[in-house]
């Protein structure tokens, strides 16, 4: 079960005199993620390291830390908590004590993971868009059954033959919903999966 955040969150800790601050937020696009990083980066800080995952798209940045010690552990924190559509920025203010590669991995990954653990999250429901047609007499019952299945009507188009509906529904209920629609319309509905 994949989750995303319901809103932005922050977490801060000191590790061997270096201060680490994590900022996380839900994002829908790569542009949203990059905007979030730009808005929350502190250019007075030593490093602004980040990662995001949006579906199959992901990226991370070590911002001057040794390769693989900052951005990748942040991404692993996102993936380790089964999160998607999330951007995480970890800002470091160097405190004078070197942490070593292992210490950096633990610091960046741990700070990101703690931030995500404290955040409010919501399940991501995979929605499909469907187009179907029904007669006027069947519309009220069909709308009722769609609502019970968690579907949301996006558009209704009335014509002389009946009503064309476009709606979104959880992909997990589509097979049952298609049978329900066919039963209500006695097989006269046109059912087209759009996406």
């Amino acid at each position: 079960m994949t989750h995303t955040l319901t809103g932005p969150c922050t977490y801060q800790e000191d590790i061997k005199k270096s201060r680490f601050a994590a900022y996380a937020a839900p994002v829908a696009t790569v542009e949203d993620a990059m905007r979030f990083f730009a808005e929350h980066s502190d250019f007075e800080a030593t490093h602004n390291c980040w990662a995001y995952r949006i579906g199959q798209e992901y990226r991370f940045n070590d911002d001057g830390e040794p390769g693989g010690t900052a951005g990748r552990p942040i991404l692993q924190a996102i993936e380790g908590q089964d999160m998607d559509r999330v951007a995480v920025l970890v800002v470091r203010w160097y405190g004078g004590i070197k942490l070593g590669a292992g210490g950096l991995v633990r610091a960046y990954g741990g700070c990101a993971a703690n931030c995500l653990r404290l955040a409010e999250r919501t399940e991501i429901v995979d929605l499909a868009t469907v187009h179907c047609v029904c007669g006027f007499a069947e519309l009220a019952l069909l709308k009722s059954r769609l609502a019970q299945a968690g579907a949301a009507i996006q558009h209704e188009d009335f014509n002389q033959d009946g009503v064309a509906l476009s709606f979104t529904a959880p992909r997990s209920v589509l097979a049952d919903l298609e049978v329900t629609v066919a039963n209500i319309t006695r097989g006269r509905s046109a059912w087209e999966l759009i996406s």
Side-chain angles (χ1 to χ4, degrees):
M1 198 177 314
T2 306
H3 291 83
T4 190
L5 303 177
T6 57
C9 62
T10 60
Y11 174 81
Q12 194 168 289
E13 68 179 290
D14 291 341
I15 301 170
K16 293 190 178 175
K17 298 190 178 179
S18 282
R19 167 141 306 167
F20 290 84
Y23 305 91
V27 291
T29 65
V30 172
E31 293 75 25
D32 290 347
M34 300 314 286
R35 191 175 319 109
F36 174 75
F37 299 140
E39 289 170 0
H40 291 83
S41 289
D42 181 343
F43 296 103
E44 309 268 314
T46 319
H47 304 282
N48 292 279
C49 304
W50 52 260
Y52 68 77
R53 170 168 289 290
I54 304 164
Q56 297 305 309
E57 291 188 72
Y58 65 90
R59 243 179 87 201
F60 55 87
N61 183 335
D62 293 319
D63 190 35
E65 291 285 27
T69 62
R72 184 171 291 284
I74 296 169
L75 179 62
Q76 289 169 334
I78 294 169
E79 293 171 340
Q81 295 191 37
D82 211 8
M83 304 287 278
D84 192 5
R85 303 181 199 163
V86 171
V88 180
L89 168 72
V90 179
V91 180
R92 178 188 185 195
W93 293 268
Y94 181 63
I97 297 174
K98 293 191 178 207
L99 300 180
L104 290 171
V105 168
R106 285 189 296 279
Y108 281 102
C111 194
N114 286 334
C115 183
L116 292 172
R117 241 182 246 115
L118 295 171
E120 280 191 47
R121 49 179 79 198
T122 184
E123 183 183 344
I124 295 175
V125 178
D126 186 17
L127 293 178
T129 303
V130 176
H131 181 78
C132 77
V133 177
C134 71
F136 297 115
E138 301 144 348
L139 183 60
L141 179 59
L142 181 59
K143 282 175 131 178
S144 170
R145 293 296 190 273
L146 289 173
Q148 288 171 358
I153 294 174
Q154 306 297 313
H155 186 71
E156 294 178 64
D157 187 21
F158 292 85
N159 58 43
Q160 69 275 9
D161 300 321
V163 185
L165 297 174
S166 292
F167 62 89
T168 58
R171 205 169 289 278
S172 59
V173 302
L174 280 187
D176 291 342
L177 203 50
E178 186 173 6
V179 171
T180 301
V181 170
N183 288 340
I184 290 171
T185 63
R186 292 177 290 292
R188 293 189 306 266
S189 63
W191 176 279
E192 183 185 359
L193 182 61
I194 306 297
S195 67

